Each structure stands twice: as structure tokens, then as C-alpha cells.
Amino acid sequence: MAVASSLVLLASACGGDEEAGGGATTGGALEGRGPITFATGKDTSGFLPAQVSAWNSQHPEEKVTVVELPESADGQRQQMVQASQNKQDSFSVLNLDVVWTAEFAANRWVEEIPRDSFPSLSAAIPATIKTAEYRGKLYAVPITSDGGMLYYRKDLLTKAGVQPPATWAEMATACQKVQALPEGKGMGCYAGQFEKYEGLTVNFSEAINGAGGVVVGEDGKPNVDTPEALAGLEFLVNAFKSGAIPKAAITYKEEEGRRAFQDGKLLFHRQWPYQYALASKTDGSSKVVGKFAVAPLPGLNGPGVSTLGGHNYAISAFAKNKASAADFIKFMASEERQSANLQASSQAPAWASLYDDTALQAKFPYLTPLKASIEKAQPRPAVVKYGDVTAAIQEAAYDALTEKKQPKQALTDLQTKLSSLITQ
Ligand code: GLC
């Protein structure tokens, strides 16, 4: 959408090439072969070792060592930024969250990707490629996309005679009906990710977009102090106040919420697709196997809007073995690896046609709502100073949810802060 393009201008105003870290030889050849490292967030899927050993067995001279970083996006970024600032070759391939491209590219911590030598790009969902670009150049290769969905207890909704909700009000009514059943007694109604980290930026943005508001407008300017944004934030604040969102959810990142849903403690859960495979595991770790389904996120007056998530693989400017790094990325971006990952981990592939594969659709019914979620999803601001922008959003959202600030005040203050961070 338009936010992205106007923010490109903004990113250039924020320093861009002038802040060069001196690492990347932009547009230069990707040379050097040998062992490499791959820095990535905690592998919650458990499938990464299989992917990496498929590569390693075919490339004994170019083995990949996985460096597992923290579970939280903010913790991952911190370590990758640190290694880059120190110009270390500790991470050859970086698994970058879609929101970090501008920062890593502007600082020249990652190499430019020569589009012609990466065939997966022509098969990728166009929005995923946009997340890997900075000032018209490509700095990473889309591997997974991500879209939020509403996981719900199909068994209990059916028992209560209610349809999956399209609006927040319908969700509240559905909760009351299910909680009146003996099976629903004491269950939490709804949760998402509300701990003070990147997931809160996602959930806050979705609440605001779901009420017709924006964090940053189409003109690239912050515009979060509006009645629409207030309605979105109030949905979350009031749900915490009424207990519809359990108090404990203020400490939830993706994994804490997933465990609550799998333990049968939540009727509705806003979550990424990766939860589908884990909540379907028949090894005793999930109490909701076969009892849940997914629907689009609800909103104020109709279906809601997801924030666009996902991950792109980039080559560190400080890597010795850049040719091996590039080949490993090509391998992981291939249709075969993307399909294997989808089937094992239910993560959203960047490879577009996998969503339309009827055999996969039959086996993984979440693929259709997931595709719709990604197609409608709103990107977060593509700015070099994204770390400061997201910290400001997290603080405003957290202060409102914990009742430290009135929602209106939190939005007014956020507007002021974002206006000073995002200048054109
Ligand atoms: C997921 C998304 C990522 C997002 C993060 C927030 O990993 O793919 O884009 O920033 O969740 O926790």
C-alpha cells in the first residue's frame, strides 16, 4: 500500500547511504565458499535441523551451523545489530524480520541481492518482496510470510450454536454463550501478544486498523491520534478491564499464548499460522487436537486487518563465504524446501502458488484464510529508525493496556513521538 512507498522517501531522509557501515560492496560479486553460520530466532517448529541437514549432506564443504537467537523478535534484532556494528563474521546468513530491512540496508550490514540469480523471486508473493527492498534495491530473499488469524474452538462454538465472529462484538457474544456451557466455564475469551515487544506493535496496529484507523497514513505521516484509532485501542483496553482478555495475557508473546490455547484455556486466540501444526500434534502436548479451526481476524464493524509479518534471509556484509551463503538462501527459498517447511511447520511460505495447491489445501484448511489474511495485510512502517518507532508504539500500547495512561492520552503522546521520529 501507499504507506510503504512514501516511507521510502522517509527512509532516505533518515540517513540512508550516508550512514554506511562500510561493510557491503553494494552490487558486488558474492564471493567466497566454505562453512557458514545461519542466525535465526528460536526454532519453535523443530523442523529447521531437517532443512539444514538436507543442505549439509549435499554440501559437506559448505556446512551450515545454526545459531539460535532468542524467541522474541526484539532479542533477535539486538544480537544481529550488535554483530553487525562490530563487523563480525559470526552470522553469515541473517533471518531478518520483515521490519528490519531498511535499518540493515541503510547501514550496509547486508549485501544487495542480485535479483537475476535468485529464481524464487519470480514465484514469491509480491508483498513479501516489497518487505525485502530498500530504496528500490533488494537486500534479502523472502522465505516465510506471516498473517494473523483467529484460532477458535470449533467444538465449543458448535455446541453453543454460534458462528465464528466477524466483529469484536460478535466475539464477545460468542464468549458469553460458550462460557455459559459447563465446558466453557472459567475459559478465557480472547488473547493475542501483549507483552512489551514487537508482537505488541503487531497487535496494537491490528486493533487500530481493524477499527478503520492507521498508525502511519498513506502520506507517510503518523496519524494515530484519531477517533478510529481510539476505538481500536479501546477494544483492547476494555477487553483487559472486563477480563475478556485474561490478565495473564499482558505477559504473552507468541509461545505463552500458544500454550494457553493448547491447554484449552482460551476460546479465541490471535496467532500466526505456525500454531496450527503445533496445536495439532498428537504427542499429548496439545489438548485441542481436532477441536479448533481458523477464521479471519475480526474487526470493529466487520472483518479485521492483519499486520504483515514474515522473514527474509539476508547475507551479512561481513561474511567471508558469501557465495555459499547465497546458495544456501537459494536452497531454502526453493519450492521443494518451502513446501516441506509448510507441511512440517505450517509456517506461511513466500512461494505464492503453494497456497493454491488443492492437495495442500485439503490437508491444511488454514491455507485459504491465511492467503486472504496476507493479501489484505498492512505493512509496518519501513523506516531506518524502526527500532525507535516500534519502541514508541510498544510503550504507548503497554501504558494504555496496563492503565498507566488513558487510551486517548497514550495516542496523543504517541502521535507526538512518532512525528519527531518520522520526519520528511
Ligand atoms: C512473527 C512475524 C514477524 C513479527 C513477529 C512479532 O515472527 O513473522 O514479522 O514481527 O512475529 O512477534
Side-chain angles (χ1 to χ4, degrees):
M1 57 162 265
V3 171
S5 54
S6 39
L7 285 171
V8 167
L9 292 175
L10 170 73
S12 34
C14 287
D17 290 349
E18 295 77 346
E19 282 176 16
T25 46
T26 307
L30 298 170
E31 286 166 356
R33 292 202 170 273
I36 53 172
T37 51
F38 172 47
T40 183
K42 188 173 159 39
D43 174 31
T44 46
S45 77
F47 189 60
L48 185 60
Q51 296 279 68
V52 168
S53 68
W55 163 270
N56 283 349
S57 60
Q58 291 167 30
H59 303 86
E61 307 297 319
E62 297 170 283
K63 279 204 171 140
V64 170
T65 303
V66 174
V67 185
E68 249 189 321
L69 302 180
E71 208 172 277
S72 127
D74 306 53
Q76 296 157 25
R77 174 179 165 271
Q78 200 187 6
Q79 293 205 24
M80 293 189 198
V81 167
Q82 205 168 40
S84 305
Q85 281 172 338
N86 294 337
K87 306 189 179 188
Q88 282 166 358
D89 178 25
S90 35
F91 310 146
S92 327
V93 175
L94 304 173
N95 186 358
L96 294 185
D97 194 312
V98 289
V99 280
W100 304 333
T101 308
E103 179 182 20
F104 279 72
N107 284 296
R108 299 200 182 174
W109 292 334
V110 291
E111 289 287 342
E112 187 184 343
I113 297 288
R115 294 179 199 254
D116 293 351
S117 27
F118 284 77
S120 69
L121 294 171
S122 56
I125 302 169
T128 66
I129 296 185
K130 265 197 143 173
T131 68
E133 288 175 338
Y134 173 65
R135 303 176 101 192
K137 290 181 179 168
L138 190 71
Y139 290 92
V141 177
I143 301 292
T144 54
S145 187
D146 237 349
M149 300 185 290
L150 186 70
Y151 286 73
Y152 65 93
R153 288 290 299 277
K154 197 171 65 178
D155 56 335
L156 299 178
L157 254 56
T158 306
K159 195 140 204 188
V162 282
Q163 294 294 316
T167 65
W168 295 328
E170 284 173 21
M171 185 160 77
T173 307
C175 283
Q176 281 157 12
K177 290 193 175 160
V178 170
Q179 284 163 340
L181 298 172
E183 301 89 328
K185 226 176 150 230
M187 261 183 114
C189 171
Y190 174 75
Q193 295 77 45
F194 304 115
E195 168 70 282
K196 200 177 189 182
Y197 79 115
E198 188 59 33
L200 181 56
T201 297
V202 168
N203 280 257
F204 170 85
S205 306
E206 287 175 350
I208 282 169
N209 294 154
V214 294
V215 179
V216 173
E218 296 202 354
D219 56 2
K221 291 186 183 149
N223 190 20
V224 77
D225 193 5
T226 62
E228 292 82 6
L230 185 60
L233 181 56
E234 280 179 341
F235 152 64
L236 293 179
V237 170
N238 293 337
F240 263 106
K241 276 191 188 158
S242 72
I245 299 181
K247 293 276 169 280
I250 197 71
T251 64
Y252 285 4
K253 301 188 290 305
E254 282 82 359
E255 283 293 87
E256 289 83 358
R258 174 176 75 80
R259 284 192 277 272
F261 187 76
Q262 285 186 190
D263 285 347
K265 292 182 184 151
L266 289 172
L267 181 57
F268 295 106
H269 188 212
R270 180 266 171 230
Q271 181 64 290
W272 306 108
Y274 88 100
Q275 176 172 283
Y276 200 95
L278 294 171
S280 303
K281 270 191 154 179
T282 53
D283 61 359
S285 57
S286 173
K287 294 186 181 147
V288 299
V289 180
K291 294 181 179 173
F292 70 92
V294 296
L297 294 176
L300 180 62
N301 298 315
V305 184
S306 171
T307 294
L308 183 63
H311 287 84
N312 307 320
Y313 288 5
I315 302 169
S316 164
F318 313 105
K320 279 193 190 75
N321 297 321
K322 290 181 185 154
S324 301
D327 282 356
F328 174 63
I329 294 175
K330 278 178 213 162
F331 175 82
M332 293 293 273
S334 68
E335 183 174 15
E336 192 189 345
R337 287 297 127 201
Q338 296 241 332
S339 175
N341 190 49
L342 153 65
Q343 296 186 53
S345 77
S346 73
Q347 288 171 0
W351 197 284
S353 63
L354 290 171
Y355 294 85
D356 304 322
D357 180 317
T358 46
L360 287 177
Q361 280 174 347
K363 218 165 143 199
F364 303 108
Y366 64 87
L367 278 177
T368 307
L370 175 59
K371 188 183 179 198
S373 166
I374 292 171
E375 278 173 355
K376 247 180 89 177
Q378 297 280 338
R380 283 160 278 173
V383 288
V384 176
K385 289 185 181 171
Y386 184 77
D388 296 338
V389 167
T390 190
I393 295 173
Q394 291 167 30
E395 193 182 332
Y398 198 78
D399 285 353
L401 297 186
T402 55
E403 295 182 56
K404 198 174 145 198
K405 264 188 199 170
Q406 289 295 324
K408 167 78 179 115
Q409 189 63 49
L411 294 179
T412 306
D413 294 351
L414 178 59
Q415 175 65 20
T416 308
K417 241 190 188 159
L418 290 181
S419 304
S420 72
L421 287 170
I422 302 179
T423 49
Q424 293 190 75

